[in-house]
């Protein structure tokens, strides 16, 4: 074989600093984003608070399609004309049905803000597992693996020990558990499920483009013993051992330091006494469900025009300093605008898909997965996952997490599907109407559901009942 040059065409995603910033901002909650913007304004002289609305020339943060939550829907006039009834016919005939429980002039601002529930890493991963395409057997294995992952995001339990916890319900070998673990390691946040720091960093490097500066060398450092030597040897010592130019090693080390050594920590940081700040507002106007950003909760920032004009007048060194901060400011503004666009796009898709849920409640929640939403809005599943993470929407039914609009499905006898949340609602209603002296058993509940066209096994009924913290039939007996 002879060496030869060959050209090829292809598309690759390069993880630029700007793209990394956009991804990081997308997965922040409203409270975290506010703190991030405040810190940016305090440290960047080219950023300033915009008192009189957004600076459109600078790509201001205040999204054009926002809805002040303190005003009733009929007083809101979204600036964008593309959100009209004729272009978005999501009327109650299409999904919510007629004669709904909410009038057109209902004010979504009337619902009381509810206290945020801490979303643990395990909850976050189990939710993704629940919506995955894995088989029931693999999901059971996955649940056992997730249960063994610590708060930092690491799996420090041996696979053989996890196999023992699965018995006797599931008999699985270490190879099978390893295969499921590989699937879990693709979940958000990237790097979760690693057995070591090196593996954690490699998982994060794997999702970057092959063209990312320093990626190949960073993988070499993370995969071997060089990672442990880095604190002692430093960049110079590492460059000498690798026999590579120090500049290349510096790029690789800088890339490694930009990664998250504890990816699990970013999940569940909201404390129990943190009040929810809704990111979006949903209301119904003339039979049409509408959505807009609740951007009045976020600070408005713009480019400081005074400092920007100084760039052309000051010395070269000062101009270079100001240009660097100007570029950072523009990146931030563009990332914030992209965050708002993505969040609004996903929210509109959700109210389109779940109009019945908004109209009638949990019983009308249809099965919906991340993949379906990603396909409809033209985004990657991981992007949709980040967009809904710790995001809340104010609706006539209260302030709800966006993840409440998702549910897995169970096939019905009519050929359709019923969501697990809808089935839980049906079980709850059956139990609420039961004879307190003769409560319904799980088997009887399963029979009643089957007669309604929803065939569910007794064990599934028991699992849903326990998930709702409802006692078993013999514990619910009341003789009074």
């Amino acid at each position: 074989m002879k060496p030869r040059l060959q050209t090829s065409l292809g598309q690759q995603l390069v993880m630029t600093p700007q793209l990394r910033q956009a991804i990081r901002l997308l997965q922040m909650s409203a409270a975290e984003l506010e703190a991030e913007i405040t810190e940016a304004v305090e440290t960047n002289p080219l950023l300033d608070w915009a008192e009189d609305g957004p600076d459109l020339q600078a790509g201001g943060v205040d999204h054009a399609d926002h809805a002040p939550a303190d005003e009733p829907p009929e007083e809101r006039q979204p600036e964008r004309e593309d959100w009209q009834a004729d272009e978005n016919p999501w009327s109650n005939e299409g999904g919510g049905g007629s004669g709904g429980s909410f009038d057109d002039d209902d004010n979504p601002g009337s619902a009381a803000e509810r206290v945020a529930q801490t979303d643990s890493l395990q909850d976050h991963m189990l939710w993704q597992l629940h919506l995955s395409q894995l088989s029931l057997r693999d999901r059971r294995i996955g649940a056992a693996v997730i249960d063994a992952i610590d708060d930092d995001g690491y799996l420090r339990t041996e696979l053989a020990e996890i196999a023992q916890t699965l018995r006797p319900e599931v008999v699985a070998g270490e190879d099978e558990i390893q295969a499921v673990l590989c699937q879990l390691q693709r979940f958000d946040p990237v790097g979760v499920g690693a057995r070591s720091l090196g593996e954690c960093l490699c998982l994060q490097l794997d999702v970057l483009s092959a063209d990312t500066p320093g990626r190949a060398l960073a993988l070499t450092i993370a995969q071997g013993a060089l990672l442990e030597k880095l604190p002692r040897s430093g960049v110079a010592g590492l460059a000498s051992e690798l026999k590579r130019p120090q500049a290349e090693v510096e790029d690789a080390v800088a890339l490694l330091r930009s990664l998250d050594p504890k990816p699990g920590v970013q999940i569940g940081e909201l404390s129990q006494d943190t009040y929810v700040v809704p990111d979006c507002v949903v209301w119904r106007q003339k039979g049409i469900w509408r959505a807009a950003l609740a951007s009045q909760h976020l600070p408005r920032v713009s480019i400081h025009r005074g400092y920007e004009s100084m760039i052309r007048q000051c010395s070269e060194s000062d101009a270079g300093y100001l240009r660097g901060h100007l570029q950072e400011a523009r990146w931030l503004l563009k990332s914030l605008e992209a965050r708002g666009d993505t969040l609004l796009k996903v929210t509109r898709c959700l109210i389109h898909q779940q109009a019945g849920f908004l109209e009638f409640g949990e019983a009308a929640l249809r099965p919906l997965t991340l993949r379906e939403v990603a396909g409809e809005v033209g985004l990657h599943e991981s992007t949709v996952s980040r967009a809904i993470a710790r995001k809340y929407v104010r609706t006539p039914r209260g302030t709800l997490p966006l993840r409440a609009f998702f549910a897995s499905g169970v096939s019905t006898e009519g050929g359709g599907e019923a969501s697990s949340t809808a089935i839980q609602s049906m079980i709850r209603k059956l139990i609420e109407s039961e004879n307190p002296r003769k409560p319904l058993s799980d088997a009887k509940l399963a029979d009643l559901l089957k007669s309604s066209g929803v065939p569910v096994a007794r064990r599934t009924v028991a699992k849903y009942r326990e998930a709702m913290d409802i006692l078993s039939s013999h514990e619910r007996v009341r003789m009074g």
Side-chain angles (χ1 to χ4, degrees), residues 363-386:
L365 187 69
R366 62 176 293 271
L368 187 64
T369 65
L370 288 173
R371 177 173 294 182
E372 290 179 70
V373 174
E376 182 169 328
V377 300
L379 298 172
H380 193 273
E381 288 181 52
S382 63
T383 302
V384 176
S385 177
R386 291 187 181 98

Side-chain angles (χ1 to χ4, degrees), residues 288-342:
I288 300 171
W289 287 104
R290 300 174 181 263
L293 295 177
S295 56
Q296 82 289 348
H297 291 287
L298 301 176
R300 301 177 181 182
V301 291
S302 64
I303 300 293
H304 193 297
R305 294 309 181 190
Y307 281 114
E308 186 183 25
S309 63
M310 289 175 58
I311 296 178
R312 296 185 294 271
Q313 305 170 5
C314 59
S315 64
E316 185 61 31
S317 60
D318 291 339
Y321 169 81
L322 292 175
R323 285 195 194 97
H325 282 292
L326 177 61
Q327 182 70 2
E328 291 179 4
R330 286 172 173 167
W331 281 359
L332 177 64
L333 294 179
K334 288 182 180 179
S335 297
L336 291 172
E337 185 177 3
R339 179 186 188 272
D341 288 340
T342 301

Side-chain angles (χ1 to χ4, degrees), residues 191-219:
V192 74
R195 273 73 61 87
S196 65
L197 174 60
E199 185 179 14
C200 178
L201 299 178
C202 286
L203 289 171
Q204 296 177 59
L205 290 169
D206 284 340
V207 301
L208 302 182
S209 167
D211 295 337
T212 303
R215 176 181 177 273
L217 189 54
L219 278 168

Side-chain angles (χ1 to χ4, degrees), residues 260-278:
D260 192 347
K262 296 181 179 180
V265 174
Q266 62 181 272
I267 304 298
E269 290 181 339
L270 290 178
S271 59
Q272 290 286 352
D273 58 351
T274 299
Y275 284 90
V276 167
V277 179

Side-chain angles (χ1 to χ4, degrees), residues 390-454:
R390 293 175 294 171
K391 307 298 190 306
Y392 290 80
V393 57
R394 180 181 288 176
T395 77
R397 291 194 170 276
T399 300
L400 306 172
L402 283 180
R403 58 186 285 178
F405 289 79
F406 292 83
S408 60
V410 175
S411 299
T412 65
E413 291 183 348
E417 279 190 314
S419 72
S420 56
T421 304
I423 295 174
Q424 289 183 28
S425 178
M426 296 171 68
I427 293 173
R428 187 186 300 112
K429 289 181 179 179
L430 288 171
I431 291 177
E432 288 174 352
S433 60
E434 69 184 2
N435 183 347
R437 296 188 178 186
K438 192 176 180 181
L440 300 171
S441 65
D442 293 339
K444 183 60 177 177
L445 289 169
D447 290 339
L448 292 173
L449 289 172
K450 185 176 182 180
S451 64
S452 300
V454 183

Side-chain angles (χ1 to χ4, degrees), residues 240-252:
S240 177
E241 186 167 348
L242 288 168
K243 298 180 180 180
R244 303 288 287 272
Q246 186 167 329
E248 291 185 12
V249 178
E250 285 177 351
D251 288 343

